[in-house]
């Protein structure tokens, strides 16, 4: 356990500020009534991936179908979208690689995590049910999202390269690339919607972990009790 002493500070004026400062360089440490969950570098990686995903989304949809042609005006027209979309895809893919390297050691699935692969496990997770005392820093659903996002990004990148430089490839490969790109995009978009829902409405307090870098002790004890015990040194299971 690592804890910062904050003599004379109050929750209103001191603890929060001290926790945010500590979150610039450290994580998994207790600061007053909060726990640093994500250091600044982790949050920058996360938001870089998110930013360029949405740039890809809003530049790609007008290319995909005229139904979303109005989005092209946000970037200066369809021709700009056709230029910007592949380049933003390159940055998005590079950022995802950085994210993968940064987190993959913590995202290894345990036998307990694999329960999320079952329909019942996913249903309970999406309904915000089924938390138990052995949930660590990341639960099975978060780990599955990580690996699914990595695979979807690979599909988007490889198919995008074929679409961007079609000449070296046969007609069959080119046609397949469109199918793969569309399927990977639809799956990725669905995952992102679920991710946003679970990180906001379903679990209040979660969003702050990627903004401030911190969560309350109560949040950690409720949603990730094993991680809470490891960080605070509290050996008691809830």
């Amino acid at each position: 356990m690592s804890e910062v002493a904050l003599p004379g500070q109050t929750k209103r004026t001191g603890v929060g500020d001290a926790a945010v400062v500590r979150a610039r360089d450290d994580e998994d440490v207790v600061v007053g009534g909060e726990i640093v969950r994500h250091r600044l570098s982790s949050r920058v990686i996360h938001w870089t991936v998110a930013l360029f995903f949405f740039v890809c989304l809003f530049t790609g949809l007008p290319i995909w179908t005229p139904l979303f042609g109005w989005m092209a005006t946000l970037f200066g027209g369809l021709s700009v979208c056709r230029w910007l979309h592949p380049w933003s895809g390159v940055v998005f893919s590079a950022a995802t690689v950085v994210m993968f390297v940064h987190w993959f050691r913590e995202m290894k699935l345990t036998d307990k995590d694999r329960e999320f692969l079952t329909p019942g496990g996913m249903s309970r997770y999406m309904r915000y049910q089924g938390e138990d005392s052995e949930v660590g820093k990341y639960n099975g659903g978060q780990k599955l999202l990580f690996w699914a996002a990595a695979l979807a990004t690979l599909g988007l990148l490889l198919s995008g390269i074929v679409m961007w430089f079609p000449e070296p490839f046969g007609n069959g490969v080119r046609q397949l690339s469109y199918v793969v790109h569309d399927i990977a995009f639809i799956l990725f978009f669905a995952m992102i919607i679920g991710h946003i829902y679970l990180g906001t409405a379903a679990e209040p307090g979660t969003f702050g972990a990627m903004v401030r870098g911190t969560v309350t002790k109560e949040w950690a004890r409720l949603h990730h009790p094993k991680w809470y015990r490891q960080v605070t040194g509290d050996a008691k299971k809830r």
Side-chain angles (χ1 to χ4, degrees):
M1 176 181 71
S2 179
E3 185 160 359
V4 178
L6 300 170
Q9 292 186 332
T10 67
K11 289 185 177 180
R12 181 176 179 182
T13 61
V15 171
D17 293 340
V20 171
V21 170
R22 188 66 186 270
R24 294 173 184 172
D25 302 307
D26 298 316
E27 59 186 37
D28 301 334
V29 295
V30 179
V31 184
E34 297 182 87
I35 300 176
V36 179
R37 183 165 173 83
H38 297 297
R39 63 171 62 93
L40 180 60
S41 60
S42 300
R43 285 174 278 145
V44 169
I45 292 169
H46 173 272
W47 289 116
T48 300
V49 172
L51 171 64
F52 281 96
F53 170 79
F54 283 105
V55 173
C56 289
L57 175 67
F58 293 130
T59 56
L61 285 176
I63 301 171
W64 192 36
T65 172
L67 195 64
F68 297 102
W70 59 271
M71 289 185 180
T73 61
L74 301 174
F75 300 92
L78 188 59
S79 60
V80 177
C81 288
R82 292 186 183 279
W83 173 84
L84 183 59
H85 182 72
W87 284 111
S88 59
V90 170
V91 180
F92 166 73
S93 299
T96 302
V97 170
V98 174
M99 182 181 71
F100 182 84
V101 173
H102 185 75
W103 266 302
F104 85 97
R105 289 185 182 86
E106 297 180 277
M107 296 296 175
K108 294 179 181 178
L109 289 167
T110 65
D111 290 338
K112 184 70 176 179
D113 294 328
R114 291 186 179 91
E115 192 268 338
F116 278 86
L117 288 169
T118 66
M122 289 301 297
S123 176
R124 286 190 294 274
Y125 180 61
M126 293 301 293
R127 293 199 311 264
Y128 180 44
Q129 297 175 349
E131 297 284 5
D132 63 60
S133 63
E134 292 306 310
V135 176
K137 186 172 184 178
Y138 301 104
N139 60 40
Q142 291 168 320
K143 292 177 181 179
L144 285 175
L145 176 67
F146 173 84
W147 291 105
L151 289 174
T153 300
L154 181 62
L156 289 169
L157 176 63
L158 295 179
S159 60
I161 290 173
V162 175
M163 295 163 64
W164 198 2
F165 304 103
E167 291 81 6
F169 304 96
N171 184 61
V173 174
R174 292 196 296 267
Q175 294 300 319
L176 180 62
S177 70
Y178 286 100
V179 176
V180 171
H181 207 74
D182 288 352
I183 292 175
F185 154 67
I186 292 170
L187 292 176
F188 206 116
F189 183 72
M191 289 188 296
I192 292 300
I193 294 300
H195 181 57
I196 293 173
Y197 167 70
L198 290 169
T200 53
E203 297 182 1
T206 304
F207 186 72
M210 273 299 170
V211 177
R212 289 170 49 85
T214 67
V215 294
T216 64
K217 286 183 176 180
E218 292 75 16
W219 182 96
R221 187 187 298 114
L222 174 64
H223 298 297
H224 300 268
K226 184 177 180 180
W227 175 65
Y228 169 81
R229 296 194 303 270
Q230 292 170 337
V231 173
T232 63
D234 183 358
K236 183 180 178 180
K237 294 185 180 181
R238 69 180 178 97

